[in-house]
Amino acid sequence: MTVKQLRAFLAVAQTLSFTQACERLHLSQPALSLTIKGLEEALGGRLLNRSTRSVRLTPEGESLLPLAKRLLADWDNTEEMLRQRFTLQLGSVAVAAMPSFAGNQLPSLLASFRRRHPGINVTVHDVINEEVIDMVRQGRVELGIAFEPEASETLQVDPLFMDRFVAVVPADSELTACQGLDWPRLLTQDFITLQRPSTVRRMLERRLGDAGISLAVAFESHQLTTVGRMVADGLGVSAVPSLCIEQMHELGARCLPLHSPIIERTVGVLSPGTGELSMAAQALRDVLRDGVAPPALAPSDARL
């Protein structure tokens, strides 16, 4: 039983006229007759009684009529829904983003996406970097925005920009008079950072260890917002991705360029290494690729 056969049957059943059904379907009478015959053979019996003067439904034809209407309505609705998804008039996409990106650059990018595709629903998961990677790997979201993972063989990574770590100091600290800080100078103060197994924490410890610098931690937290608040309240200093500069300033801390060593890492859009993205996810990935700008650093950073 095919959609073409059901449409032919419905046209005849509704008009009770092969002539009118032919006009509705733009078919010749022999072609329509063959289509109806094929449907009856497929189902195993007659659906129509046809004479030279009239067309009537058999009892089996009567029982098929409401089913055919519903099946064809579902078919047409499915066609239209998929057409709208492929043309980005309808759809949904889920994205996971690390808080430093979700709370800073992502909202303006989503506003741009919304203007282009108002029919697409976007779900944002604001989670730590490690969970972003896990959610993409497990297929819980189509896209993730995070630091490029060290082992990304199962993921596709589209680089957005290189994020450099900056120093975070209290607004009234004497360090704010500096054009920039090196790590040994910064670490003369109590240091505040994220708890393990944070990617930021591991990255700092590894890179500083490579430079022969030990990272002694006085305070630690799960959230960068808490770290920033601690610094603003004078408990110590910290180092955060430059994505967080605006957030740190809003919390009352100040950010300074940081060097010796310069620590930086690629931020990218993560997607599954296998499988095709939905049209909505592809469109959002394009907006992210085109719209993301590297975070602005202090002018003095260019000299470091």
Side-chain angles (χ1 to χ4, degrees):
M1 187 170 62
T2 67
V3 172
K4 179 181 178 181
Q5 289 171 336
L6 280 179
R7 292 196 192 283
F9 167 77
L10 187 60
V12 175
Q14 289 178 329
T15 62
L16 295 179
S17 166
F18 269 71
T19 300
Q20 293 181 40
C22 288
E23 292 175 354
R24 178 185 295 187
L25 298 171
H26 305 291
L27 288 177
S28 65
Q29 287 217 19
L32 178 58
S33 296
L34 284 174
T35 301
I36 296 297
K37 181 180 179 182
L39 176 61
E40 290 176 330
E41 289 177 350
L43 295 178
R46 294 183 64 82
L47 300 170
L48 300 167
N49 285 322
R50 182 182 181 186
S51 68
T52 55
R53 294 186 176 183
S54 65
V55 176
R56 292 182 294 106
L57 293 174
T58 66
E60 290 75 21
E62 292 281 1
S63 66
L64 176 60
L65 180 56
L67 298 176
K69 288 179 179 179
R70 186 165 70 246
L71 286 169
L72 289 173
D74 288 344
W75 178 272
D76 291 339
N77 289 338
T78 300
E79 274 193 327
E80 180 60 23
M81 179 192 69
L82 287 172
R83 188 176 295 110
Q84 289 183 8
R85 285 180 177 271
F86 280 122
T87 58
L88 296 173
Q89 299 174 55
L90 183 70
S92 62
V93 59
V95 58
M98 55 185 179
S100 56
F101 191 91
N104 292 287
Q105 293 210 28
L106 186 58
S108 61
L109 292 166
L110 290 180
S112 175
F113 179 77
R114 188 70 170 180
R115 286 192 294 271
R116 297 187 197 181
H117 309 296
I120 305 296
N121 178 63
V122 181
T123 301
V124 177
H125 298 270
D126 182 354
V127 295
I128 61 174
N129 190 85
E130 295 74 18
E131 192 169 351
V132 172
I133 296 169
D134 288 342
M135 291 183 76
V136 177
R137 281 181 173 151
Q138 295 166 10
R140 293 160 59 193
V141 296
E142 288 191 88
L143 299 175
I145 305 165
F147 289 115
E148 182 177 5
E150 296 174 355
S152 58
E153 67 280 353
T154 61
L155 299 175
Q156 178 179 329
V157 181
D158 294 294
L160 296 176
F161 58 87
M162 189 70 73
D163 192 299
R164 180 177 297 181
F165 278 72
V166 295
V168 188
V169 302
D172 59 358
S173 170
E174 61 182 17
L175 297 176
T176 58
C178 301
Q179 293 297 306
L181 293 173
D182 60 24
W183 274 96
R185 175 77 182 278
L186 181 67
L187 293 178
T188 61
Q189 311 288 314
D190 286 339
F191 194 75
I192 308 167
T193 190
L194 295 176
Q195 293 178 337
R196 298 189 184 94
S198 159
T199 296
V200 168
R201 175 72 172 270
R202 293 202 311 266
M203 189 189 317
L204 293 180
E205 289 177 333
R206 184 177 65 254
R207 291 294 305 276
L208 291 175
D210 292 343
I213 300 173
S214 176
L215 183 64
V217 176
F219 298 96
E220 54 188 0
S221 170
H222 279 299
Q223 298 293 334
L224 280 171
T225 301
T226 306
V227 170
R229 180 64 68 189
M230 288 180 176
V231 173
D233 287 346
L235 291 176
V237 298
S238 187
V240 300
S242 53
L243 270 172
C244 303
I245 289 176
E246 183 177 347
Q247 183 181 25
M248 294 297 111
H249 288 173
E250 290 174 352
L251 292 169
R254 293 292 176 267
C255 296
L256 298 169
L258 186 58
H259 62 102
S260 301
I262 288 175
I263 299 179
E264 56 188 9
R265 190 162 177 183
T266 300
V267 173
V269 181
L270 312 183
S271 56
T274 58
E276 189 76 17
L277 291 176
S278 67
M279 296 297 292
Q282 292 179 48
L284 179 56
R285 184 177 61 182
D286 291 343
V287 169
L288 293 170
R289 285 170 173 170
D290 298 341
V292 170
L297 300 177
S300 58
D301 188 55
R303 300 196 295 269
L304 299 181

